[in-house]
């Protein structure tokens, strides 16, 4: 029964075309979890403001993520899909939680350090307080579980710390959330630089597979992927990061363990292996891409989904926010 279900909240930033990393690390799990949990899936467009882009780009990226969610298998009848900026409670709780978060703990966040070195000309305060807004996203819905990739683990830890701090001061208010990080695929690496994660905003050519890449592009990128000179398909993250990364991608798509893959490709060369990896990705993405292109041409439908979803999300979030306002002494 619905009211017994545990709650899930997760989100993806509206910062560009989604990658195979987003798909494997996050999206695939969003889809899997929707029968068992009450799910809220958000498009984090407020978070996307931390990096400069044109208003048109941000609007378009937001629509693309909604279309991606549905095409990947999130069913709007089962899960609530909403836009962060359409639920004002996020920005409001973000401010309150800012006052319960310390500069010291924020300055330890690796994403902040990463992003500030990548965008040295725009180290804005939003980039610094980003995890606090994210904590608010999660705590507003009383989420039990938050499915994310490995890079978000630290943000979940700070969310738990902020919630716990608030609860100690004002009595039980927030549910303490657990991260859900998949065992394999939580950190898909770049194809050209297998020592750093595959990312939407990577500027290295052929490093990232986008969910909208054509079969030819996918084949070309996989063929060019960095491997090593050993010539053996063997899982060894430390010494063979490129091959191990391709094996993880293949394993997730084909639902195979690493030792099975090693057996399957025993005595075969990297060329043969790469062809199979590319084929697996292309097959996996084909139904997704068909649906995606159809949805992007049906803006009325997308609007209906996010309008209804945001209204539902707002109703739930408001209850939490009002409780917080009362507890801290704000008049509403
Ligand atoms: P950006 O490059 O703009 O920082 P991103 O590609 O890192 O974006 P996010 O919007 O920050 O994407 O992430 C959305 C979700 O996808 C998060 O749960 C994140 O952990 C997961 N994710 C992102 N990249 C990867 C990856 N390479 N492997 C596995 N999961 C990933
Ligand atoms: N910071 C996340 C996106 C995000 C998120 C959230 C994820 C914003 N709010 C709440 C889970 C829960 C990222 O993937 N970069």
């Amino acid at each position: 029964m619905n009211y017994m279900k545990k709650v899930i909240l997760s989100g993806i930033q509206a910062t560009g075309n989604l990658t195979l990393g987003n798909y494997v690390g996050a999206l695939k799990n969003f889809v899997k979890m929707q029968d068992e949990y009450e799910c809220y899936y958000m498009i984090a467009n407020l978070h996307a403001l931390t990096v400069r882009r044109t208003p048109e780009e941000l609007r378009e990226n937001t629509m693309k993520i909604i279309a991606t969610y549905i095409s990947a298998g999130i069913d709007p009848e089962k899960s609530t899909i909403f836009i962060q900026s359409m639920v004002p409670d996020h920005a409001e709780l973000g401010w309150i939680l800012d006052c319960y978060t310390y500069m010291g703990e924020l300055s330890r966040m690796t994403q902040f350090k990463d992003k500030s070195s990548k965008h040295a000309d725009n180290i804005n305060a939003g980039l610094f307080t980003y995890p606090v807004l994210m904590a608010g996203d999660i705590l507003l819905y009383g989420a039990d579980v938050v499915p994310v990739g490995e890079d978000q683990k630290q943000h979940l830890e700070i969310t738990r710390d902020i919630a716990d701090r608030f609860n100690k001061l004002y009595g039980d208010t927030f549910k303490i959330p657990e991260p859900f990080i998949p065992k394999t695929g939580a950190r898909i690496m770049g194809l050209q630089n297998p020592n750093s994660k595959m990312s939407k905003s990577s500027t290295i050519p052929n490093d990232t597979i986008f969910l909208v890449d054509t079969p030819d592009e996918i084949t070309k990128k996989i063929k060019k992927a960095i491997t090593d000179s050993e010539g053996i398909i063997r899982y060894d993250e430390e010494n063979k990061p490129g091959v191990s990364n391709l094996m993880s991608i293949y394993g997730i798509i084909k639902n195979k363990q690493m030792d099975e893959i090693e057996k399957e490709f025993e005595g075969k060369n990297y060329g043969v292996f790469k062809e199979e990896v590319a084929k697996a990705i292309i097959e996996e993405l084909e139904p997704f891409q068909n649906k995606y292109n159809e949805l992007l041409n049906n803006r009325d439908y997308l609007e209906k989904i996010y309008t209804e979803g945001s209204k539902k999300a707002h109703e739930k979030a408001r209850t939490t926010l009002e409780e917080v306002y009362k507890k801290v002494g704000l008049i509403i």
Side-chain angles (χ1 to χ4, degrees):
M1 268 175 291
N2 219 23
Y3 63 86
M4 298 287 289
K5 281 185 174 174
K6 286 193 169 180
V7 175
I8 282 205
L9 176 293
S10 196
I12 295 186
Q13 288 192 83
T15 43
N17 285 321
L18 295 208
T19 71
L20 194 62
N22 299 134
Y23 182 73
V24 166
L27 255 182
K28 250 177 123 57
N29 292 316
F30 292 7
V31 177
K32 274 191 207 147
M33 292 169 130
Q34 60 184 343
D35 287 318
E36 205 183 321
Y37 295 85
E38 178 187 338
C39 298
Y40 293 84
Y41 294 126
M42 181 184 81
I43 295 87
N45 60 344
L46 296 175
H47 279 103
L49 283 178
T50 53
V51 179
R52 291 278 175 269
R53 54 185 35 83
T54 66
E56 292 74 26
E57 254 183 300
L58 179 54
R59 266 191 290 271
E60 197 51 28
N61 285 340
T62 306
M63 293 306 129
K64 282 181 178 172
I65 296 193
I66 298 167
T68 302
Y69 277 174
I70 303 170
S71 315
I74 295 176
D75 178 354
E77 298 284 321
K78 291 183 190 159
S79 303
T80 305
I81 296 174
F82 71 97
I83 300 180
Q84 192 183 27
S85 62
M86 288 180 74
V87 181
D89 314 85
H90 292 256
E92 291 182 57
L93 184 59
W95 168 253
I96 296 176
L97 297 182
D98 273 341
C99 304
Y100 297 86
T101 308
Y102 297 110
M103 302 283 283
E105 53 190 348
L106 286 175
S107 58
R108 285 195 292 274
M109 296 290 117
T110 35
Q111 183 176 297
F112 172 68
K113 291 186 224 167
D114 258 24
K115 298 256 159 168
S116 17
S117 67
K118 278 190 195 144
H119 304 278
D121 55 339
N122 180 25
I123 307 176
N124 59 69
L127 208 54
F128 191 65
T129 58
Y130 178 114
V132 188
L133 183 60
M134 177 163 162
D137 299 338
I138 297 166
L139 300 176
L140 276 174
Y141 298 87
D144 294 276
V145 183
V146 183
V148 280
E150 174 72 34
D151 62 314
Q152 294 301 310
K153 194 173 166 203
Q154 205 184 22
H155 289 165
L156 258 295
E157 278 158 14
I158 196 173
T159 299
R160 291 165 58 92
D161 290 345
I162 297 169
D164 184 56
R165 184 172 304 143
F166 192 96
N167 286 349
K168 286 206 170 100
L169 283 166
Y170 298 103
D172 236 9
T173 310
F174 295 127
K175 175 90 61 70
I176 309 290
E178 294 287 340
F180 175 88
I181 298 170
K183 282 202 182 71
T184 35
R187 194 169 165 82
I188 298 295
M189 309 309 272
L191 298 178
Q192 290 301 314
N193 180 5
N195 295 312
S196 75
K197 74 159 195 161
M198 184 181 280
S199 151
K200 283 191 214 110
S201 46
S202 168
T203 48
I204 311 171
N206 301 315
D207 197 46
T208 302
I209 296 210
F210 295 102
L211 300 184
V212 293
D213 278 349
T214 62
D216 280 353
E217 282 167 328
I218 294 171
T219 308
K220 191 185 97 195
K221 287 179 183 176
I222 295 291
K223 269 194 184 152
K224 290 195 169 165
I226 297 289
T227 49
D228 53 67
S229 57
E230 192 188 45
I232 297 173
I233 289 103
R234 181 170 68 80
Y235 193 82
D236 177 350
E237 259 178 53
E238 204 174 313
N239 299 305
K240 294 166 72 68
V243 170
S244 303
N245 190 38
L246 293 177
M247 287 176 74
S248 301
I249 295 173
Y250 186 74
I252 286 151
I253 295 177
K254 293 283 192 184
N255 214 354
K256 287 184 179 168
Q257 301 300 317
M258 295 304 118
D259 54 344
E260 284 177 71
I261 301 173
E262 287 172 359
K263 270 202 201 104
E264 185 179 344
F265 291 98
E266 211 176 308
K268 307 234 166 84
N269 64 28
Y270 288 163
V272 174
F273 172 55
K274 282 179 165 180
E275 245 169 60
E276 290 305 313
V277 176
K279 222 161 81 186
I281 300 172
I282 293 166
E283 271 169 22
E284 171 85 8
L285 293 185
E286 194 190 77
F288 163 83
Q289 293 184 345
N290 294 339
K291 182 99 205 246
Y292 179 77
N293 291 327
E294 181 194 314
L295 281 177
L296 269 190
N297 286 321
N298 192 348
R299 299 289 166 131
D300 290 347
Y301 175 70
L302 296 183
E303 189 179 332
K304 176 175 170 283
I305 299 301
Y306 71 69
T307 306
E308 281 172 9
S310 301
K311 184 166 174 273
K312 198 170 151 213
H314 180 46
E315 278 162 18
K316 182 148 180 123
R318 201 71 204 166
T319 316
T320 310
L321 190 74
E322 283 182 4
E323 189 186 343
V324 170
Y325 271 25
K326 281 187 196 135
K327 285 197 164 156
V328 298
L330 292 171
I331 293 164
I332 39 171

